[in-house]
Amino acid sequence: MAEIELGLAKSARPAYGFDDVAVVPTRRTRDSDVVSLAWQIDAFRFEMPMLGAPTDSVMSPRTAIALGRAGGLGVLNLEGVWTRYDDPEPLLAEIAGLPTDLATSRMREIYAEPVRPELIRQRLSEIRDAGVTVAGSLSPQAVQEHQQTVIEAGVDLFVIRGSTVSAEHVTKTGEALNLKQFIYELDVPVIVGGVVTYTAALHLMRTGAAGVLVGFGGGAASTSRSVLGIHAPMATAVSDVAAARRDYLDESGGRYVQVIADGSLGTSGDIVKAFACGADAAMLGTALARATDAPGRGWHWGPEAHNQKLPRGNRVQVEQVGDLEVVLNGPAPVADGTANIVGAVRKALATTGYKDVKEFQRIDVVVAPRR
């Protein structure tokens, strides 16, 4: 791709977000009922390639169970209010009712309470007892402290999720997480991210990760672009990481690493474009926060919103469109891609003639002017 000269000392490669691209119809169509959205990572199979983002506004034990029963994967934030408080419901209601000028400071106070190992065990047990796949998430900084608790509590899938995660972290304080050793010792599939470049993704794949999260600063609640000046348009990021997956498949002699888009997925159309750019699955935050039974009560926020030193996110209000079932499977009360997102993705594959997501990754995509 030709670079653009910004000035005599700096050039840049063009990059595109999902709003910049469009999927091109093919010569073939098919019925929606012959389209499969099944997704498999390691030994775990799901009826839909959708993960619930590990944020307190989206995933509680109850909503993780509900998403699991619907055919997706709910990932519980093991550093959230559910592992800090016996009963966080009053605090979630308080966060939803905070005035904007007090939200950040009060959320910092709420999340200053220490994580309790016994609550990690209890919450994971609640999900396991419901008979769905158990998945929990820690930030890279918290893995060292809580990894033994997670191992003892037992998870089916483990997620290490941060603003950005690398296979080579340099630190002056403490011992950096040896990602490759941790993944080997945990002995369950690990999903790691986010990354947005070919090289970073390839390095994470070499650690043994079963899946890689793609995204940085693209979510609706993130302010990383204005605070840090860092942002990665998602269409280009997903495509670059998909290229790393292809090359690692050859390098490893056939080991396939799942590419999971994580950010800028506000509508079903965005999810469709993520798959078209090479993603195998999508981690959903804002899309699921719109459910009337989501813990956020019409608000959405991520861990960056209550960072104790440098907040890089906001608590944002989202339009509620129906309960989780309506958001996932309809019937949709609106025509903007925020409800029946699974049905919309299935319809997109049917309209373009593809039978599943893996096949759909080969579809043509064009750069299209924003409307």
Side-chain angles (χ1 to χ4, degrees):
M1 184 182 296
E3 291 193 335
I4 297 171
E5 186 179 277
L6 301 180
L8 295 179
K10 183 70 70 173
S11 58
R13 181 175 65 125
Y16 302 98
F18 293 136
D19 284 345
D20 300 313
V21 301
V23 174
V24 179
T26 66
R27 63 181 176 83
R28 182 185 295 111
T29 58
R30 64 176 66 232
D31 290 339
S32 295
D33 58 7
V34 297
V35 170
S36 171
L37 294 183
W39 174 60
Q40 183 157 339
I41 179 167
D42 203 84
F44 300 95
R45 186 181 186 277
F46 304 92
E47 292 306 311
M48 62 178 76
M50 313 290 182
L51 297 82
T55 67
D56 286 338
S57 58
V58 174
M59 286 288 109
S60 64
R62 178 177 54 83
T63 51
I65 291 167
L67 182 56
R69 288 175 173 168
L73 175 64
V75 183
L76 187 68
N77 177 13
L78 300 181
E79 300 169 71
V81 292
W82 290 95
T83 58
R84 298 175 192 261
Y85 297 92
D86 291 310
D87 180 14
E89 290 289 358
L91 293 168
L92 290 167
E94 180 187 351
I95 291 172
L98 288 171
T100 301
D101 60 336
L102 298 178
T104 298
S105 59
R106 177 56 183 144
M107 289 172 70
R108 277 171 149 176
E109 292 174 352
I110 291 171
Y111 284 92
E113 187 74 13
V115 172
R116 294 160 52 188
E118 71 273 16
L119 286 179
I120 292 179
R121 289 189 287 266
Q122 179 181 329
R123 304 312 184 193
L124 293 176
S125 178
E126 290 174 27
I127 299 171
R128 183 182 303 103
D129 290 346
V132 301
T133 303
V134 182
S137 173
L138 289 172
S139 65
Q141 297 84 357
V143 168
Q144 299 279 37
E145 181 179 358
H146 299 295
Q147 61 178 313
Q148 195 58 40
T149 300
V150 173
I151 291 171
E152 292 171 357
V155 289
D156 297 316
L157 287 157
F158 186 66
V159 177
I160 301 175
R161 185 179 189 249
S163 295
T164 186
V165 177
S166 70
E168 300 177 20
H169 180 67
V170 179
T171 179
K172 282 186 175 182
T173 59
E175 182 180 347
L177 172 66
N178 184 326
L179 195 55
K180 189 170 186 177
Q181 180 180 343
F182 173 79
I183 290 174
Y184 175 78
E185 292 178 351
L186 187 60
D187 200 30
V188 301
V190 177
I191 298 170
V192 188
V195 293
V196 293
T197 67
Y198 171 95
T199 301
L202 188 59
H203 284 188
L204 284 187
M205 292 172 186
R206 288 169 177 165
T207 68
V212 172
L213 298 171
V214 185
F216 183 97
S222 174
T223 60
S224 289
R225 186 171 187 173
S226 58
V227 175
L228 302 179
I230 302 174
H231 173 67
M234 282 291 288
T236 296
V238 170
S239 179
D240 285 349
V241 175
R245 176 190 60 205
R246 175 200 63 208
D247 292 348
Y248 179 71
L249 185 69
D250 292 337
E251 174 188 303
S252 63
R255 185 172 181 272
Y256 188 93
V257 178
Q258 303 290 320
V259 172
I260 304 167
D262 181 15
S264 299
L265 299 169
T267 67
S268 53
D270 296 328
I271 299 169
V272 169
K273 294 174 189 180
F275 294 153
C277 290
D280 299 290
M283 178 169 275
L284 305 180
T286 303
L288 299 185
R290 295 192 181 103
T292 53
D293 45 356
R297 297 162 168 79
W299 294 86
H300 179 45
W301 65 91
E304 301 85 3
H306 47 78
N307 185 282
Q308 296 297 315
K309 293 184 178 180
L310 184 64
R312 301 180 304 282
N314 289 321
R315 180 203 59 161
V316 296
Q317 193 163 20
V318 294
E319 189 75 27
Q320 293 180 301
V321 296
D323 62 17
L324 182 63
E325 176 63 19
V326 167
V327 170
L328 291 174
N329 298 308
V334 292
D336 59 2
T338 61
N340 194 5
I341 56 179
V342 175
V345 172
R346 192 184 302 277
K347 181 67 174 178
L349 268 64
T351 301
T352 52
Y354 291 92
K355 65 179 182 180
D356 55 35
V357 171
K358 180 56 59 184
E359 192 178 85
F360 183 70
Q361 291 170 349
R362 301 198 300 263
I363 196 168
D364 288 339
V365 175
V366 298
V367 176
R370 297 192 187 205
R371 297 179 62 183

